[in-house]
């Protein structure tokens, strides 16, 4: 096994998480909250990530299936351990195990929460909590593969190790371009949802974090009554429709964009998914 490549990639992934933490840091500053929890976490992530990348810089950067599985396993542990630090330092979840649970729930888009009063939480913490959902919605490592410059086509083994289902393929010859295409679609859909929520009278911050939670299909809310707190059938409908849309395999959207929509819509997975949604809706 190429151990140096494994630790090198973990270092790059941890550095990418430091970049992800800039968003909640900016939000904390805008709302005049203490930025220290995020600054300290970013510092830890950068020091650890750069150290791993320099110490274990490999000569051979080829990634095979076994390296892919090991990278995914360690990356999830590293991302969750570092990602829970802001919850602990901010006092939002002072218990480490509660903070770790919340972070794992966010990145995996499970949506289970140990927070009993989310409305009392700082805006920066709520942004980070929902942002973990958004990143996890497409797959944490898909996001990271899209932004790390040193990614090679062999890195598809990382995605195959993370993604559920029988096969993880490439839409275009370059694996990194595949990740970028998926994220362009993902970002555009998120932006459309934010605009529609704003049109329904939802505040900007609420629109962004609720769109992130919807995109991840996990549903982290920022109100104790969740979306029911807004008392708007329009907002509930927008979120319900987009949660269904985000649940569709994004390959379908790509094929629609290149004019092969009919072929994509005939897929067994898409038809089964839509069938279950319709059946479940009628039953309810």
């Amino acid at each position: 096994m190429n151990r140096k490549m494994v630790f090198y990639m973990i270092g790059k992934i941890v550095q990418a998480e430091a970049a992800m933490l800039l968003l909640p840091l900016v939000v904390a500053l805008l709302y005049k909250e203490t930025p220290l929890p995020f600054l300290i976490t970013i510092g830890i992530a950068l020091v650890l990530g750069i150290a791993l990348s320099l110490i274990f810089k490999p000569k051979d950067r080829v990634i095979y299936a076994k390296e892919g599985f090991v990278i995914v396993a360690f990356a999830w542990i590293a991302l969750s351990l570092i990602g829970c630090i802001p919850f602990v330092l901010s006092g939002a979840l002072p218990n480490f195990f509660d903070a770790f649970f919340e972070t794992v729930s966010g990145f995996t888009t499970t949506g289970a929460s140990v927070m009993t009063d989310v409305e009392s939480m700082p805006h920066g913490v709520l942004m980070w909590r929902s942002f973990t959902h958004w990143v996890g919605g497409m797959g944490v490592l898909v996001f990271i593969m899209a932004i790390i410059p040193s990614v090679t086509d062999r890195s598809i083994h990382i995605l195959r190790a993370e993604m559920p289902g029988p096969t993880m393929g490439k839409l275009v010859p370059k694996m990194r371009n595949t990740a970028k295409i998926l994220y362009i679609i993902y970002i555009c859909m998120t932006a459309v949802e934010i605009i529609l929520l704003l049109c329904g009278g939802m505040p900007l911050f609420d629109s962004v974090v609720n769109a992130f939670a919807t995109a991840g299909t996990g549903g982290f809310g920022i109100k104790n009554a969740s979306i029911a707190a807004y008392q708007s059938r329009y907002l509930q409908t927008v979120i319900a429709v987009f949660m269904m849309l985000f649940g569709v395999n994004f390959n379908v959207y790509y094929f629609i964009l290149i004019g092969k929509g009919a072929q994509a819509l005939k897929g067994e997975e898409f038809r089964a998914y839509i069938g279950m949604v319709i059946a479940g809706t009628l039953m309810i």
Side-chain angles (χ1 to χ4, degrees):
M1 180 184 291
N2 189 348
R3 291 182 177 84
K4 283 192 173 182
M5 189 59 191
V6 170
F7 286 107
Y8 175 80
M9 286 302 299
I10 297 299
K12 289 293 184 180
I13 289 167
V14 170
Q15 290 177 58
E17 186 172 24
M20 289 158 53
L21 283 158
L22 291 174
L23 177 60
L25 171 63
V26 170
V27 171
L29 290 171
L30 288 174
Y31 283 93
K32 298 180 180 180
E33 299 166 353
T34 175
L36 283 178
F38 300 105
L39 286 172
I40 293 171
T41 308
I42 289 171
I44 293 171
L46 285 176
V47 170
L48 180 61
I50 292 172
L52 287 172
S53 298
L54 292 177
I55 294 171
F56 296 98
K57 196 169 186 177
K59 294 180 181 178
D60 180 11
R61 298 196 177 188
V62 175
I63 296 175
Y64 294 101
K66 58 184 178 181
E67 282 88 2
F69 281 108
V70 174
I71 289 170
V72 168
F74 280 101
W76 272 98
I77 294 171
L79 287 168
S80 299
L81 286 172
I82 292 172
C84 75
I85 295 174
F87 292 112
V88 176
L89 295 181
S90 66
L93 290 171
N95 183 290
F96 169 78
F97 296 102
D98 286 346
F100 186 72
F101 177 92
E102 198 79 11
T103 307
V104 173
S105 179
F107 278 133
T108 57
T109 69
T110 305
S113 177
V114 295
M115 288 187 177
T116 56
D117 184 12
V118 291
E119 294 181 31
S120 66
M121 298 298 167
H123 290 82
V125 169
L126 291 176
M127 176 60 75
W128 175 237
R129 181 171 173 261
S130 292
F131 191 51
T132 59
H133 254 5
W134 188 81
V135 174
M138 184 65 73
V140 173
L141 300 184
V142 178
F143 174 77
I144 289 170
M145 292 301 100
I147 62 175
I148 291 180
S150 58
V151 167
T152 66
D153 283 348
R154 278 286 184 177
S155 300
I156 194 171
H157 289 298
I158 296 176
L159 304 190
R160 283 176 173 158
E162 184 190 34
M163 300 292 282
T167 306
M168 167 62 200
K170 292 189 287 186
L171 299 177
V172 293
K174 293 286 186 180
M175 190 281 304
R176 190 179 178 207
N177 289 342
T178 295
K180 284 183 176 180
I181 288 170
L182 292 174
Y183 256 98
I184 288 171
I185 298 170
Y186 194 57
I187 290 169
C188 289
M189 288 177 63
T190 305
V192 171
E193 184 185 355
I194 291 171
I195 292 169
L196 291 175
L197 292 175
L198 287 170
C199 291
M202 185 180 285
L204 178 60
F205 176 80
D206 296 34
S207 297
V208 172
V209 292
N210 280 309
F212 284 170
T214 304
T217 67
F220 270 164
I222 59 169
K223 302 289 186 183
N224 293 333
S226 193
I227 201 65
Y230 298 98
Q231 297 182 347
S232 169
R233 183 60 58 85
Y234 168 82
L235 294 175
Q236 291 178 12
T237 302
V238 169
I239 287 177
V241 169
F242 271 89
M243 190 164 283
M244 184 188 75
L245 293 176
F246 278 112
V248 173
N249 188 321
F250 273 58
N251 289 355
V252 172
Y253 298 132
Y254 173 75
F255 284 121
I256 290 173
L257 289 174
I258 63 173
K260 296 183 179 179
Q263 176 185 339
L265 297 177
K266 289 179 181 177
E268 291 183 8
E269 178 186 340
F270 176 78
R271 287 185 295 173
Y273 173 71
I274 296 300
M276 285 188 286
V277 169
I278 292 172
T281 302
L282 293 174
M283 287 173 63
I284 293 171

